[in-house]
Amino acid sequence: MAFDYDLITLGAGSGGVAASRRAALHGAKVAIIEGSRVGGTCVLRGCVPKKLLMYAAQFGDGLQEARGYGWQVPEAAFDMPTWATAKAAETTRLEGIYRQMLAGSGVQLVEGWARLVGPHTVQVGERQLTARHILVATGGAPVRDSIPGIDACATSDDLLDLQTLPARAAVVGGGYIAVEFASMLARLGVQVALFYRDRLPLRGFDTMLRTAAASALQAAGVDLHPGAAPQRIQRDGGQFLLVLGEDRMLAFPWVLNATGRRPNTAGLGLTLDAHGAVPVDDQGNTAVPGVCAIGDVTNRKNLTPVAIAEGRALADRLFGPGHQPVDLRLVASAVFMLPPLASVGPSEEEALAAGHRLQVFETDFRPMKQAFIGGTERTAMKLLVDADSQRVLAVHMAGADAPEIVQSLAVALTAGATKAHFDRTIAMHPTAAEEFVLMRQPSRTVPSAG
Ligand code: NDP
């Protein structure tokens, strides 16, 4: 059978674009179908605008700190409309670059919403397009039904499009999005209350990081409500009522729903798993021959660089040098709160559960920049070392520059570094990162949980 294309990709987000361009580089005839703007969540509604808002929030801290360093800084106020206009211009610029990159690679962009109507056939509006391979890279979207009434609340998509910030806000959830936005909003002048159902935010992260996150949020003035999940959310005039119990209701003018994301699977007609994701094997194949999937729609590690790596690996397998599996065991990730958190490798709890006997190296200090101005902000670091092999299993850090530092250390861990390699590395002084090579005595040795 002759097909219109070698590959049709559904979704022009980071993963879909990366896979399509790599496939075209290998000589494949490729079309990518997108019903919204080109660029996907990360560029348009996620990582990029979120980090630009984080920079805005960080300048507030910087202005305060500058006074301690001798600068005479007049009172300054944050102007959201200025940020919103600049953000819109920047995402439009980036979208333009994505479009140029697709065109430059010879990938044909088809604008419209796609429906999968057969293993090799896609319907876009009135058109049917066929391909030897179809790649589903449709990403995810905020969950809107986690709590009765939460569908009327804002999501991170809405927040990043605001022209003015509310004076008070409730943030519901304790994951990446909840913590990042609670931290930023508080610095931008919003009175924030954070509601999460565990004892600490960021379930799944190392306890050191979760504790540091709670302390940093509290220091920023966020009103923490651990163990608190609204049973329902009601409209009450212009307000939202968070019903925490029949005798406990709190009213807020604005609520952020940060209770997770769900794969975009409408129109695919594929069998889904219990979480609504498209199940795939370790090569990205779905149960339907000729249909593959990558990124958030598969709900494995929902991070942009993972989707990009999966997309490129898939294109290499289908049209290039062959299968190079993507190793998801040591994926570094960061929570861009202020100060940020970053991790590579398992949490202490996960490492123990996996049967490791651990040497735990920890330090906690007030960084030089803060000590000079009498600031209270701290930096915490942790190395998890397998007591038997001496391999460094994980690096965790809470504090200024944590994502930059941990990204670099992820290379050492990927290369299989042992504690002796860290000890042999000469420190770079004065930095915070040098503490990672100066921790000589374990603070604890912990038997495995097994
Ligand atoms: P997460 O899965 O990280 O967190 C969801 C949060 O919502 C959890 O705290 C969860 O609580 C809570 N929750 C879920 N259902 C309910 C409910 N019914 N009532 C109360 N609380 C509820 O999702 P996010 O939306 O924060 O982020 C989505 C994904 O996007 C992340 O997992 C990550 O992969 C990616 N992301 C990455 C970022 C980065 O790299 N910096 C930034 C933002 C997003 P509990 O823990 O109790 O289950």
Side-chain angles (χ1 to χ4, degrees), residues 46-47 50 142-143 145-148 150 156 172-181 195-198 200-205 210 228-230 257-262 296 299-305 332-337 341:
C47 327
K50 178 274 305 289
V143 168
D145 58 359
S146 47
I147 297 169
I150 205 164
S156 54
V172 182
Y176 283 87
I177 293 180
V179 167
E180 289 179 345
F181 284 112
F195 297 84
Y196 48 96
R197 49 190 182 185
D198 204 3
L200 289 167
L202 296 171
R203 197 194 293 274
F205 279 81
R210 302 180 69 189
N257 165 14
T259 55
R261 293 176 62 85
R262 185 171 292 152
D296 287 11
N299 193 33
R300 287 170 294 174
K301 257 203 180 345
N302 297 335
L303 298 170
T304 301
S333 86
V335 179
F336 292 97
M337 63 183 304
L341 316 177

Side-chain angles (χ1 to χ4, degrees), residues 342 379 381 395 397 399-410 431-434 436:
T379 289
M381 294 171 168
V395 172
M397 175 173 174
D401 303 320
E404 309 294 334
I405 293 168
V406 170
Q407 171 69 91
S408 302
L409 288 176
T431 64
E434 69 183 308
F436 273 121

Side-chain angles (χ1 to χ4, degrees), residues 222-244:
V222 176
D223 185 14
L224 299 184
H225 294 263
Q231 295 168 359
R232 61 181 190 279
I233 299 176
Q234 287 172 203
R235 294 309 297 265
D236 180 24
Q239 302 264 79
F240 293 89
L241 270 187
L242 263 56
V243 181
L244 296 153

Side-chain angles (χ1 to χ4, degrees), residues 114-128:
R115 261 185 332 116
L116 203 54
V117 291
H120 298 283
T121 310
V122 169
Q123 180 94 30
V124 191
E126 300 295 302
R127 295 169 69 188
Q128 285 211 339

Side-chain angles (χ1 to χ4, degrees), residues 408-432:
S408 302
L409 288 176
V411 179
L413 267 62
T414 302
T418 62
K419 183 63 171 60
H421 289 115
F422 276 63
D423 292 345
R424 279 213 301 274
T425 304
I426 306 282
M428 182 194 284
H429 186 71
T431 64

